[in-house]
């Protein structure tokens, strides 16, 4: 069968993608070349991880300081920066406290930040921008290699279209005709 002949090519393609793309980041809807490809990427990734750990630790500290549970306070992305969100009814816990800067009070809750969270978020954004810049050449190379597999996928597409048409005909031929 035509499809079986291209199995090795598609396995090589899948292996290349798995080796090149950070699948953990994909799970979070972020797309990065694996940091193991380049020393500069590894440095950027380490900075990003450190910033994320600092954000997580600060979130835990803020939870304790406000005497809240995890369900009451969330750390969210907003305008490409991290901030905290709590419900309107819990706004009283931060009202009047100078260490908390309210960004927006909306129907969905109150968004606020702290000096520390701003700094950690800025560090993360800078490391991520550096990572994106550093991975550009690698992305181009991966795209060039991936494009060499286009003829294989075109042949597979043709084979699948033929199988689909034959299956539709087979399915139609075994249906009973409506009684006249």
């Amino acid at each position: 069968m035509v499809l079986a002949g291209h199995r090795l090519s598609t396995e090589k393609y899948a292996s290349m993608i798995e080796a090149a793309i950070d699948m953990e980041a994909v799970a979070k809807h972020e797309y990065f070349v694996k940091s193991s490809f380049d020393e500069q990427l590894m440095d950027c990734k380490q900075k990003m991880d450190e910033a994320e750990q600092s954000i997580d630790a600060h979130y835990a500290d803020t939870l304790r300081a406000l005497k809240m549970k995890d369900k009451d306070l969330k750390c969210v992305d907003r305008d490409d920066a991290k901030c905290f969100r709590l419900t309107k009814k819990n706004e009283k816990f931060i009202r009047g406290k100078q260490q908390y800067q309210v960004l927006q009070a909306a129907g969905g809750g109150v968004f606020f930040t702290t000096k520390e969270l701003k700094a950690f978020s800025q560090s993360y954004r800078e490391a991520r921008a550096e990572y994106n810049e550093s991975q550009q050449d690698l992305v181009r190379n991966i795209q060039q290699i991936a494009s060499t597999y286009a003829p294989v996928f075109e042949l597979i597409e043709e084979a699948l279209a033929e199988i689909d048409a034959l299956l539709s005909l087979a399915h139609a031929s075994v249906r009973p005709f409506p009684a006249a």
Side-chain angles (χ1 to χ4, degrees):
M1 176 174 226
V2 175
L3 293 176
H6 299 298
R7 181 176 176 195
L8 182 60
S9 293
T10 56
E11 286 175 355
K12 287 180 183 177
Y13 178 79
S15 294
M16 179 200 67
I17 295 300
E18 288 175 3
I21 305 300
D22 184 346
M23 293 302 178
E24 289 178 17
V26 170
K28 296 187 277 184
H29 305 288
E30 297 178 324
Y31 303 94
F32 297 116
V33 173
K34 277 191 178 171
S35 59
S36 58
F37 268 80
D38 183 75
E39 196 168 313
Q40 188 173 1
L41 289 180
M42 289 191 317
D43 290 342
C44 294
K45 177 71 170 146
Q46 183 178 355
K47 289 176 190 174
M48 289 167 58
D49 290 345
E50 288 170 0
E52 283 183 329
Q53 289 169 358
S54 297
I55 289 169
D56 291 343
H58 184 61
Y59 170 71
D61 292 344
T62 305
L63 269 175
R64 280 190 296 280
L66 294 174
K67 297 180 179 109
M68 293 187 149
K69 295 181 180 161
D70 202 31
K71 65 178 181 151
D72 297 325
L73 180 70
K74 300 291 180 195
C75 187
V76 296
D77 288 313
R78 186 171 175 268
D79 299 331
D80 199 31
K82 293 282 188 180
C83 68
F84 296 126
R85 179 180 52 87
L86 51 78
T87 60
K88 283 277 222 179
K89 73 176 186 168
N90 289 327
E91 179 185 9
K92 61 187 174 208
F93 291 107
I94 64 167
R95 192 178 305 131
K97 295 183 180 176
Q98 295 211 348
Q99 69 264 37
Y100 306 117
Q101 177 189 357
V102 174
L103 300 172
Q104 179 184 12
V110 177
F111 295 92
F112 70 98
T113 190
T114 64
K115 287 189 302 186
E116 295 87 355
L117 185 59
K118 280 182 181 180
F120 299 142
S121 186
Q122 180 66 25
S123 295
Y124 179 83
R125 277 196 316 270
E126 288 170 359
R128 183 177 174 149
E130 188 179 340
Y131 195 104
N132 285 334
E133 187 177 316
S134 298
Q135 75 177 355
Q136 289 301 323
D137 289 336
L138 291 170
V139 168
R140 275 192 225 84
N141 291 340
I142 292 168
Q143 287 173 332
Q144 286 178 331
I145 293 168
S147 69
T148 64
Y149 287 89
V152 172
F153 286 107
E154 288 170 358
L155 291 171
I156 291 171
E157 176 188 23
E158 290 173 14
L160 289 174
E162 186 177 333
I163 290 170
D164 183 42
L166 292 172
L167 184 61
S168 295
L169 287 171
H171 185 65
S173 69
V174 296
R175 277 194 182 158
F177 288 103

